[in-house]
Amino acid sequence: MDKRESLWEAYLAKGMSRRSFLKGCVTLTSLMGLSTDNLTKVVEAAETKPLPVVIWLHGHECTGCDESFIRSGAPLASDLVLNMIALEYSHVLSAGCGAPFEEHLEKTMEKYRGEYILAVEGGVAVGEHAYTCMSGGHAFEHTLKRVAADAKAVVAYGTCATSGGIQAAAPNPTDSRGIRSLIGAKPYIAVPGCPPIPEVMTGVLMHVALFGTLPPLDAEKRPKQFYGNRIHDTCYRRPFFDAGMFAERYDDAGAKAGWCLYHLGCRGPETYNSCGNLRWYQGMSYPIQSGAACIGCSNANFWDQAPFSRRLPEYSGIDIDTVGAGLAVATAVGVAAHAGASLVQKHYHEKQRAAHEGKEVHE
């Protein structure tokens, strides 16, 4: 097997400085959700670990995950593809096509058996419906199982790959599903979203590439550093939620004032993602910030929860309207109590100062 170069060797080959390399490592450390204490480990891995070989398969999907991926800002998708990984096969991003392209897939699988990372975008039509998604003369179900068999790890990009996607919406005529049940016991990472945040896509890939291990995962195999919090927990509109202040229409005064969108169907309280932290377009914005309620696109079967404008009936078994009203009253009581305590404290200090100056204070 040919020796593959490391990230540091790739920098050297392109005439880039050590300073640029270290700056890149700092960016990667932050991107992977790691503390700066891990920077030394990242640098060491980038100096010694060979660039990872990636095979990217496409099933039932719209290529929206690719569209998201190429908009990654840290690192740029171009830097990732050209400098940090060896992307050997991708229907959307590769220049090759046809029989030579499929032949290259076979050669890559043979050459890097047990070493390549398999990225999968799209759901899988199975059984008698497998013919509804074909590539290279084979059903996608067949190709997925064959390529996954010799992969080092499998990354499911997007809600189609993790849960079946819009193709699996009721009544699911093609019997589409997520890939997890079709790849055996292979190490698996779920990166849901429709599409996922681009920096999350690149961060997960680089973690596997540099450390050779999966990042910490939750019960649904999602990376904890990116799916450890609900959007509700990091939303800048959360104070309005706590105060019981909700927009009732997208054009009312509450909506214009930035109040909580829960009554308009926002799924933020039940959706785990990094939209409120990382945001989109290099941190520019995300749906809630632009005035649209979250539709929970990283949740399994979110497409069957339409209409998206219908509010959730309750949150964790609690009536939100009641809680909101109660919080508003409690807030008012708290403000009044604080004001009363402040007056008592002020009066006490006035008495102390007057006693010190030998004056009389009238009650």
Side-chain angles (χ1 to χ4, degrees):
M1 182 181 297
D2 298 336
K3 182 182 182 301
R4 289 179 284 138
E5 63 182 2
S6 66
L7 180 60
W8 169 232
E9 291 169 336
Y11 268 72
L12 288 177
K14 292 176 173 59
M16 302 177 73
S17 67
R18 178 71 176 178
R19 179 183 177 84
S20 297
F21 169 73
L22 292 176
K23 287 174 66 177
C25 290
V26 171
T27 300
L28 286 174
T29 302
S30 176
L31 178 66
M32 291 184 287
L34 303 175
S35 69
T36 53
D37 296 339
N38 291 283
L39 178 58
T40 301
K41 295 180 181 178
V42 173
V43 172
E44 181 180 354
E47 288 176 330
T48 59
K49 294 290 181 66
L51 296 180
V53 173
V54 177
I55 294 175
W56 192 322
L57 297 181
H58 294 75
H60 260 171
E61 41 89 27
C62 66
T63 71
C65 298
D66 282 276
E67 293 292 340
S68 177
F69 178 78
I70 63 176
R71 286 164 175 77
S72 175
L76 292 171
S78 57
D79 288 339
L80 182 71
V81 172
L82 299 177
N83 300 324
M84 299 179 183
I85 66 174
L87 182 60
E88 294 291 335
Y89 184 90
S90 169
H91 286 154
V92 177
L93 302 178
S94 295
C97 62
F101 187 48
E102 299 304 320
E103 183 181 349
H104 180 68
L105 172 61
E106 300 299 327
K107 291 181 178 179
T108 300
M109 292 169 56
E110 179 63 31
K111 185 176 182 179
Y112 300 108
R113 189 180 301 276
E115 294 296 325
Y116 59 82
I117 299 172
L118 173 58
V120 183
E121 177 179 348
V124 190
V126 301
E128 63 180 13
H129 302 288
Y131 72 91
T132 61
C133 186
M134 305 281 288
S135 177
H138 300 285
F140 180 60
E141 178 186 11
H142 169 80
T143 301
L144 171 65
K145 291 178 177 178
R146 194 164 55 87
V147 180
D150 293 317
K152 179 178 182 179
V154 181
V155 181
Y157 278 147
T159 307
C160 290
T162 60
S163 307
I166 188 66
Q167 302 78 218
N172 192 2
T174 60
D175 198 13
S176 287
R177 60 192 63 184
I179 69 170
R180 189 176 178 185
S181 64
L182 301 169
I183 62 172
K186 286 293 177 182
Y188 167 81
I189 307 174
V191 186
C194 193
I197 298 171
E199 286 76 18
V200 173
M201 298 177 73
T202 54
V204 168
L205 201 57
M206 289 311 300
H207 191 289
V208 177
L210 291 177
F211 296 110
T213 60
L214 306 187
L217 305 175
D218 64 13
E220 296 183 24
K221 300 299 182 181
R222 300 172 299 190
K224 289 182 179 180
Q225 63 261 49
F226 300 119
Y227 296 91
N229 293 307
R230 298 167 302 170
I231 291 177
H232 185 66
D233 297 327
T234 57
C235 181
Y236 73 100
R237 296 178 189 249
R238 176 64 184 268
F240 293 107
F241 175 92
D242 292 340
M245 301 168 70
F246 303 101
E248 301 297 337
R249 299 191 314 274
Y250 280 110
D251 62 348
D252 68 11
K256 295 175 182 178
W259 290 7
C260 180
L261 302 175
Y262 183 82
H263 282 185
L264 295 174
C266 185
R267 268 55 170 174
E270 66 173 13
T271 302
Y272 288 82
N273 213 329
S274 293
C275 298
N277 296 4
L278 296 179
R279 307 190 181 188
W280 293 77
Y281 294 103
Q282 300 179 40
M284 180 183 297
S285 184
Y286 71 112
I288 291 175
Q289 185 176 349
S290 67
C294 168
I295 64 173
C297 74
S298 58
N299 296 335
N301 306 317
F302 80 92
W303 45 85
D304 284 328
Q305 296 180 351
F308 296 129
S309 58
R310 180 187 300 162
R311 60 162 290 192
L312 297 173
E314 58 184 21
Y315 169 59
S316 296
I318 301 172
D319 187 319
I320 292 302
D321 292 328
T322 302
V323 173
L327 284 171
V329 171
T331 300
V333 171
V335 170
H338 178 74
S342 297
L343 288 174
V344 171
Q345 188 177 38
K346 178 181 178 182
H347 187 64
Y348 171 78
H349 286 300
E350 286 180 348
K351 289 180 64 176
Q352 290 291 101
R353 185 168 57 253
H356 179 72
E357 297 174 354
K359 297 180 181 179
E360 181 179 353
V361 177
H362 297 285
E363 298 292 338

